[in-house]
Amino acid sequence: MNSDEAAAISRDETATVAFEMEDIGLTLPETAPAGVGETLAEPVFPYLPDSVLARIVEDMHRNGFGVAYDCIDPARLAALQDFVAGKIAGVGGEYVALTGRGAVSGTMLEALSLSPEFNRACRTIYRMGTGRVGPDVPFYQVLRGLSGKTGEKHAYFFHYDSYVITALVPILMPSVGKAGDLIMFPNLRGIRKTYLANLLDKVLLDNRLTQIVLRWGATSGRLRFTRLRMKPGNVYFFWGYRSVHANEPCDRDQIRATALFHYGNPHADSWVRRLTSREAPVD
């Protein structure tokens, strides 16, 4: 055990850090059911020492994504699953998208966006991955629930995010049939110096011909994507700005629900962006 890990355990004696040959799993203590009406009285995300965050960044560079294992408490996750299922039922079992912290007020997603431990993790990943200090800015967050016929329409839309880091929190994942996996070409570009260069990348990607080719490649198996099959309870990090990515469809009678926390827009101060852009598509 190194000094970073010892320091992390001393911060919360109830947390344990389990080490394996290939990865590190984080186990949280059981708590009373929480989620809707969630507060910050209890941490909603564990303190991840720098050694764990460095492993996540290395995996993001090498494999396209890194994982914080078993870091969402099962009771909180169950309450969040009920919240999402209720929202989807309220629109007849179809697609749902909730944008911003206010749209998920009172849930653990609101608490997660305010969590000092989660904010520290994202800013440290940003610093380790880019060599720059992470900006003191809020997340751009979205909750998406794919279900029904309308959910299928949101599959295979390949895009770059507008933010350097995307943290992906799976909430409900189909256990049978099509699971709505995330597929990506990781780390295809660097962080562009200007918004106009970034915009050109997006124009080349977000056009009918490119989208048809990429969708054909995904459905035929002719193009080799990195595939991410997500497990609720984990949190997945990838370079959303640098990676072309999309989700596959899930069966109409299933629910694929994810929360996304986007962090660090490198062109936030661009006047061209303010005049011409909309928020990036989400995963």
Side-chain angles (χ1 to χ4, degrees), residues 131-268:
R132 306 170 187 173
V133 176
D136 184 12
V137 293
F139 296 103
Y140 173 63
Q141 65 183 92
V142 181
L143 169 62
R144 298 176 74 227
L146 275 63
S147 187
K149 184 177 180 179
T150 52
E152 291 182 340
K153 296 179 180 179
H154 292 266
Y156 297 125
F157 180 65
F158 292 91
H159 62 279
Y160 291 112
D161 289 338
S162 295
Y163 296 77
V164 174
I165 294 174
T166 300
L168 184 54
V169 182
I171 301 168
L172 284 166
M173 290 288 118
S175 58
V176 295
K178 293 179 288 187
D181 292 342
L182 183 74
I183 53 177
M184 67 170 76
F185 287 121
N187 308 332
L188 287 185
R189 65 172 184 166
I191 297 176
R192 300 309 192 203
K193 292 182 179 181
T194 67
Y195 177 73
L196 287 176
N198 167 66
L199 186 61
L200 177 60
D201 289 340
K202 292 196 173 190
V203 169
L204 293 174
L205 179 61
D206 186 10
N207 65 79
R208 183 174 177 81
L209 178 59
T210 303
Q211 293 292 318
I212 288 174
V213 170
L214 290 174
R215 181 173 184 139
W216 170 82
T219 56
S220 67
R222 296 297 181 91
L223 294 178
R224 297 185 62 181
F225 293 92
T226 294
R227 178 180 300 276
L228 176 53
R229 175 152 292 185
M230 293 166 285
K231 173 188 172 184
N234 296 341
V235 175
Y236 300 84
F237 299 87
F238 65 98
W239 304 119
Y241 180 96
R242 299 178 56 203
S243 303
V244 172
H245 56 282
N247 65 271
E248 294 182 321
C250 66
D251 291 331
R252 292 185 181 183
D253 62 345
Q254 301 292 314
I255 298 175
R256 177 209 190 257
T258 56
L260 299 111
F261 294 83
H262 299 283
Y263 174 72
N265 187 334
H267 311 296

Side-chain angles (χ1 to χ4, degrees), residues 70-153:
D70 300 323
C71 57
I72 303 298
D73 176 68
R76 289 188 169 108
L77 179 61
L80 187 58
Q81 290 170 339
D82 289 342
F83 171 80
V84 172
K87 291 291 185 181
I88 290 176
V91 294
E94 296 293 330
Y95 176 79
V96 166
L98 303 176
T99 302
R101 193 172 68 205
V104 292
S105 177
T107 73
M108 73 149 288
L109 296 179
E110 179 189 29
L112 188 60
S113 70
L114 299 172
S115 162
E117 294 83 3
F118 184 63
N119 276 266
R120 175 193 176 275
C122 290
R123 292 180 187 185
T124 303
I125 288 171
Y126 184 99
R127 174 178 56 80
M128 289 180 171
T130 68
R132 306 170 187 173
V133 176
D136 184 12
V137 293
F139 296 103
Y140 173 63
Q141 65 183 92
V142 181
L143 169 62
R144 298 176 74 227
L146 275 63
S147 187
K149 184 177 180 179
T150 52
E152 291 182 340
K153 296 179 180 179

Side-chain angles (χ1 to χ4, degrees), residues 27-69:
T27 304
L28 296 178
E30 293 186 359
T31 63
V36 177
E38 183 67 80
T39 70
L40 290 176
E42 295 292 335
V44 295
F45 191 81
Y47 179 92
L48 301 183
D50 283 358
S51 57
V52 175
L53 297 174
R55 185 264 300 167
I56 289 173
V57 171
E58 181 181 356
D59 288 345
M60 291 166 71
H61 287 322
R62 183 178 63 238
N63 303 323
F65 63 91
V67 189
Y69 295 96

